[in-house]
Amino acid sequence: MTSFDLNLTRVFVAIYETRSVTAAAERLDITQPSVSYSLARLRAELADLLFVRDKRNLKPTPRAEALYPKFRDALAVIGKAIEETHRFDPATANRIFNLAMSDVGSMYFLPPIERGFSGIAPHVVFDVHQVSTSEIADQLAAMKIDVALGNLTSLGGQTRSFTLFREHYMCLLGKRHAERIGPMTLDGFRASRHVVVSSTFSGHQLAEDALTDLGISRRTFIRTPYFTALPQLIAQSDLVVMLPSRIAGIFAMQSEVVALPAPMPLADFEVKMYWHPRHESNPSVAWLLERLKAILREP
């Protein structure tokens, strides 16, 4: 394999991650025939089809599945080695930073990020992604995501983290409904109709698990993956939803809703930023981490 062209590795990873020759060409900024030619060379070098047509996409073969994490990690190491030789200058850098957060996380985190970075890094771009919690660790390892933000306890010891602040849940309901029922009691909570937010992109399941552990049932009327539809829905109905206090506060400022304390003992939880230790010595990532800590952590 001493004659193996390492550029083919980049093509392989791009095809694997996009499942498309056309999309791989766009990602690599080369022509589609060049990607097709590289794929033919890969198949010859590795004596395997690597990718086969499956409806509209390319499906990796078992050998491609086995090769991908090795090629991905190799490219990440090479990229890190090259970037570590350069000093990161935020004033002139054109770096794209990839952040993972839920839609409700974007509501809270993006305004301070805009204020904290625009003046000192005018050419930096933040590309925000909603990534399933089950995929975040792999995407951090592959450097497809630089930093993830949220309550992501499922990541465990696969990443490093920094606690930004502690949070707790509150009940959000329409002002007119709140005036009718008064303080939120446990009986009132049980009797109310509820919206349940169920999303693979956030750690909101924590509230559902806590209620189950306490043996508290409720009348679920709507189950949705979207947080942003809540203010108008709640304001115009007698529905109740449980939300982190900071997001409940934002909604209360924007719509005819109020945030009331939850009528049951629910543990606080930590909102953190997560990254992969493999990349923290990268000058641009190290700068991003320190800047995010300064901007987003609670005083």
Side-chain angles (χ1 to χ4, degrees), residues 24 50 62 75 90 128 138 140 147 149 158-159 172 196 202 204 217 246 252 262 265 269 276 286 289 295:
L50 299 176
L75 287 177
V128 178
D138 285 342
L140 287 170
V147 177
L149 297 164
Q158 303 174 71
T159 61
L172 192 75
V196 175
S202 77
H204 190 60
S217 60
R246 286 167 173 78
F269 60 93
H276 200 279
L289 293 174
I295 293 169

Side-chain angles (χ1 to χ4, degrees), residues 160-211:
R160 289 189 178 159
S161 65
F162 177 84
T163 300
L164 298 171
F165 50 82
R166 296 189 66 81
E167 253 290 17
H168 63 278
Y169 281 98
M170 299 189 75
C171 295
L172 192 75
L173 55 161
K175 287 184 178 179
R176 286 176 293 179
H177 184 48
E179 291 170 357
R180 285 195 298 269
I181 66 172
M184 177 61 74
T185 65
L186 188 54
D187 287 341
F189 182 87
R190 286 192 169 111
S192 295
R193 298 188 308 151
H194 288 260
V195 179
V196 175
V197 180
S198 177
S199 171
T200 60
F201 304 122
S202 77
H204 190 60
Q205 184 63 32
L206 179 69
E208 309 309 312
D209 294 341
L211 291 177

Side-chain angles (χ1 to χ4, degrees), residues 4-298:
F4 186 78
D5 184 351
L6 290 179
N7 285 319
L8 297 179
T9 307
R10 295 176 62 244
V11 173
F12 174 92
V13 169
I15 295 174
Y16 184 95
E17 292 179 351
T18 63
R19 298 294 200 268
S20 164
V21 169
T22 301
E26 292 175 355
R27 175 186 287 192
L28 297 171
D29 197 22
I30 59 178
T31 65
Q32 183 174 333
S34 296
V35 174
S36 297
Y37 174 70
S38 295
L39 178 56
R41 289 181 60 195
L42 279 163
R43 286 168 167 167
E45 290 273 8
L46 300 172
D48 190 89
L49 285 176
L50 299 176
F51 302 96
V52 294
R53 181 65 58 184
D54 179 26
K55 296 181 180 178
R56 295 185 178 182
N57 299 319
L58 292 176
K59 181 179 179 180
T61 65
R63 185 160 192 207
E65 293 281 7
L67 286 170
Y68 169 69
K70 298 180 176 65
F71 281 5
R72 175 201 65 194
D73 292 351
L75 287 177
V77 170
I78 292 170
K80 175 184 173 183
I82 293 172
E83 191 158 359
E84 283 178 353
T85 64
H86 301 286
R87 186 177 70 87
F88 182 74
D89 182 2
T92 59
N94 290 291
R95 174 77 147 80
I96 297 176
F97 288 115
N98 292 286
L99 305 179
M101 64 185 80
S102 66
D103 64 337
V104 72
S106 295
M107 291 182 58
Y108 185 78
F109 289 121
L110 290 185
I113 286 175
E114 189 281 328
R115 293 191 298 268
F117 283 88
S118 59
I120 63 172
H123 308 296
V124 161
V125 174
F126 288 96
D127 202 346
V128 178
H129 307 261
Q130 286 203 82
V131 181
S132 173
T133 53
S134 62
E135 299 176 2
I136 287 179
D138 285 342
Q139 295 209 15
L140 287 170
M143 217 171 181
K144 294 169 67 176
I145 296 296
D146 295 299
V147 177
L149 297 164
N151 171 38
L152 305 170
T153 55
S154 61
L155 294 186
Q158 303 174 71
T159 61
R160 289 189 178 159
S161 65
F162 177 84
T163 300
L164 298 171
F165 50 82
R166 296 189 66 81
E167 253 290 17
H168 63 278
Y169 281 98
M170 299 189 75
C171 295
L172 192 75
L173 55 161
K175 287 184 178 179
R176 286 176 293 179
H177 184 48
E179 291 170 357
R180 285 195 298 269
I181 66 172
M184 177 61 74
T185 65
L186 188 54
D187 287 341
F189 182 87
R190 286 192 169 111
S192 295
R193 298 188 308 151
H194 288 260
V195 179
V196 175
V197 180
S198 177
S199 171
T200 60
F201 304 122
S202 77
H204 190 60
Q205 184 63 32
L206 179 69
E208 309 309 312
D209 294 341
L211 291 177
T212 299
D213 291 343
L214 291 170
I216 297 174
S217 60
R218 55 186 166 162
R219 298 167 55 202
T220 299
F221 183 68
I222 294 176
R223 193 178 302 275
T224 175
Y226 308 115
F227 287 89
T228 49
L230 295 175
Q232 185 175 6
L233 173 64
I234 298 297
Q236 298 176 356
S237 69
D238 62 353
L239 292 166
V240 176
V241 66
M242 294 190 69
L243 290 174
S245 66
R246 286 167 173 78
I247 300 305
I250 291 174
F251 285 156
M253 290 189 294
Q254 297 175 343
S255 185
E256 292 295 305
V257 296
V258 294
L260 300 179
M264 73 286 293
L266 294 176
D268 290 354
F269 60 93
E270 294 181 333
V271 175
K272 300 182 179 183
M273 49 184 279
Y274 302 83
W275 65 94
H276 200 279
R278 180 183 299 152
H279 311 303
E280 63 188 357
S281 60
N282 179 309
S284 62
V285 174
W287 175 82
L288 174 67
L289 293 174
E290 291 307 310
R291 189 66 185 163
L292 286 174
K293 289 176 185 178
I295 293 169
L296 300 179
R297 68 180 169 187
E298 205 166 52

